[in-house]
Amino acid sequence: MGTGFLMKEQISSIQTEALELIANAGDVRALEDARVAVLGKKGSLTLAAAGIKDVPKEEKAEVGQLLNAARSAITTALEKKQLALQEVADRAALAGIDVTLPGRAVLTGALHPLTLIRDEAIGILRRMGFALADGPEIEDEFHCFDALNTPADHPARNEKDTFYFDSGKLLRTHTSSVQIRTMEGAKPPVRIIAPGSAYRRDEIDATHLSVFNQLEGLYVAEDVSLPDLKGTLEYFLQELFGPQTEVRFRPHFFPFTEPSFEIDVKLTVKGQAPRWIEVAGCGMVDPAVFESVSKTRKDDAFDPAAVTGFAFGMGLDRLAMIRWGIKDIRLLIENDVRFLKQFA
Ligand code: PHE
């Protein structure tokens, strides 16, 4: 008997055995073992195929065909079995699960409207050249009042209006204290904004909270003028609320600015008559403030004869109310999810 005949016998018995192995494989692991045993580097069919070099020339084609047929029959059987095993595994994994039930919604978090409006305000003012500054919320009377030209008998300093600690410190009644702290540590030109909390013993109602959020601004340089103040704040408010926004400057009094103004923006809430809502206090920095800063610094960097400036303090809560037509400021701190969801 020639090599060719022997090899044909061998191939057909390898194929029979292989198909049996595959048929009996009970899981993916056993199937993989079968594949390696037959088609792997040292698999039975691989080793048998190496023998083709000893087959006489005239039989090579026939043996070769048989080899290919065996390999493809085995490969097909492997693939079919693989699918069948996978289906069994899938069924087992899904046992007891009702895939027709509706899915569970994944709740996504979102930023609070106050955070949104604060970040937007900061963004606009930073583009205009203002840098961020900061100061403590537990402040001393000097930075909160005295340095801001606010004398001891001023109503803002009254026990009834202010949260004092036994130490004599207080929860800052405004962010204007950051103006002083900034000028103590920097030289003109100074162009800063300072967002943060402020505290007052205010009666809580639809437009007042005892903790609220302000955004302070200060610009000091040579030749800063009232038109600079007006232009800056009008531009800011129209960037924030749109170009049609109506803005009004009303003369007012603050101890640390002269002249001083309050700024109103027209609030339009659906179903309500439009009304003006106060959003900020502002004015030209009072020379007395520069004098006080100069005394602390012991230099003339802020000599009132050489520099001028403007300052403003905006109510961030009020800005949020205008932006979204919120009727009651208390909604901003109640954490009612039905309210907050609208900003997600
Ligand atoms: N600090 C003032 C307030 O809280 C606002 C203000 C800031 C006014 C800066 C003028 C300049 O009411």
Side-chain angles (χ1 to χ4, degrees):
M1 271 185 287
T3 340
F5 176 78
L6 281 178
M7 217 173 137
K8 284 196 261 178
E9 286 283 284
Q10 196 192 358
I11 291 168
S12 100
S13 76
I14 287 176
Q15 180 171 346
T16 314
E17 270 167 39
L19 294 179
E20 206 168 310
L21 260 181
I22 292 167
N24 291 335
D27 55 23
V28 185
R29 185 75 193 263
L31 189 66
E32 175 62 7
D33 288 347
R35 189 191 64 78
V36 174
V38 182
L39 300 180
K41 249 198 258 165
K42 291 178 185 158
S44 49
L45 194 69
T46 314
L47 293 178
I52 198 158
K53 62 181 188 307
D54 304 322
V55 174
K57 215 170 157 195
E58 58 280 11
E59 284 179 282
K60 260 198 176 122
E62 203 189 335
V63 173
Q65 262 174 17
L66 207 63
L67 259 177
N68 285 342
R71 185 176 286 119
S72 94
I74 293 166
T75 309
T76 310
L78 279 168
E79 279 165 8
K80 270 199 187 150
K81 185 70 178 188
Q82 167 77 31
L83 287 177
L85 287 174
Q86 189 58 54
E87 206 182 308
V88 173
D90 287 350
R91 265 184 224 287
L94 284 176
I97 295 177
D98 183 351
V99 292
T100 65
L101 281 176
R104 247 171 251 157
V106 178
L107 295 179
T108 46
L111 293 177
H112 190 278
L114 277 175
T115 307
L116 292 173
I117 204 84
R118 185 199 61 195
D119 289 353
E120 207 176 314
I122 291 173
I124 297 167
L125 288 159
R126 286 189 64 152
R127 285 200 292 284
M128 295 172 79
F130 287 86
L132 276 169
D134 202 3
E137 289 179 26
I138 297 175
E139 190 50 283
D140 52 49
E141 287 192 285
F142 176 76
H143 288 94
C144 204
F145 300 126
D146 299 285
L148 284 159
N149 194 34
T150 307
D153 60 356
H154 193 277
R157 302 182 66 149
N158 197 303
E159 290 263 353
K160 279 208 301 252
D161 294 321
T162 307
F163 296 105
Y164 283 97
F165 294 94
D166 290 342
S167 66
K169 287 201 171 185
L170 58 130
L171 291 175
R172 66 180 178 194
T173 56
H174 53 186
T175 44
S176 298
S177 51
V178 185
Q179 287 185 36
I180 303 302
R181 290 190 176 274
T182 304
M183 286 190 279
E184 283 173 358
K187 284 189 173 176
V190 164
R191 190 151 42 174
I192 57 105
I193 47 172
S197 306
Y199 304 82
R200 285 177 207 173
R201 282 188 196 269
D202 267 338
E203 210 56 66
I204 295 177
D205 63 24
T207 49
H208 293 85
L209 293 174
S210 52
V211 186
F212 59 105
N213 297 276
Q214 285 194 320
L215 189 142
E216 192 77 17
L218 174 69
Y219 178 25
V220 180
E222 286 169 21
D223 293 330
V224 177
S225 66
L226 186 55
D228 293 329
L229 164 64
K230 213 169 168 239
T232 301
L233 290 175
E234 267 172 3
Y235 174 84
F236 167 78
L237 290 165
Q238 289 176 348
E239 278 292 290
L240 194 66
F241 298 130
Q244 302 83 359
T245 306
E246 288 182 69
V247 179
R248 165 172 100 174
F249 285 71
R250 254 185 310 106
H252 195 73
F253 173 80
F254 295 104
F256 37 92
T257 47
E258 178 62 30
S260 304
F261 306 89
E262 278 189 332
I263 307 173
D264 301 333
V265 169
K266 204 181 241 176
L267 171 66
T268 18
V269 176
K270 239 199 250 158
Q272 284 187 354
R275 64 188 156 110
W276 291 100
I277 177 162
E278 178 209 326
V279 295
C282 66
M284 301 306 293
V285 177
D286 194 303
V289 173
F290 289 138
E291 269 157 30
S292 166
V293 166
S294 300
K295 234 193 240 171
T296 311
R297 292 180 59 101
K298 300 189 179 66
D299 68 11
D300 58 2
F302 288 89
D303 178 359
V307 294
T308 50
F310 68 70
F312 56 88
M314 288 187 278
L316 284 172
D317 315 75
R318 301 275 179 87
L319 297 184
M321 292 173 80
I322 294 168
R323 159 57 73 80
W324 290 292
I326 299 168
K327 274 188 250 176
D328 194 321
I329 198 170
R330 288 167 288 199
L331 284 164
L332 291 171
I333 56 163
E334 281 168 350
N335 280 334
D336 185 331
V337 176
R338 290 168 300 177
F339 170 74
L340 295 175
K341 253 190 183 162
Q342 302 172 72
F343 304 93

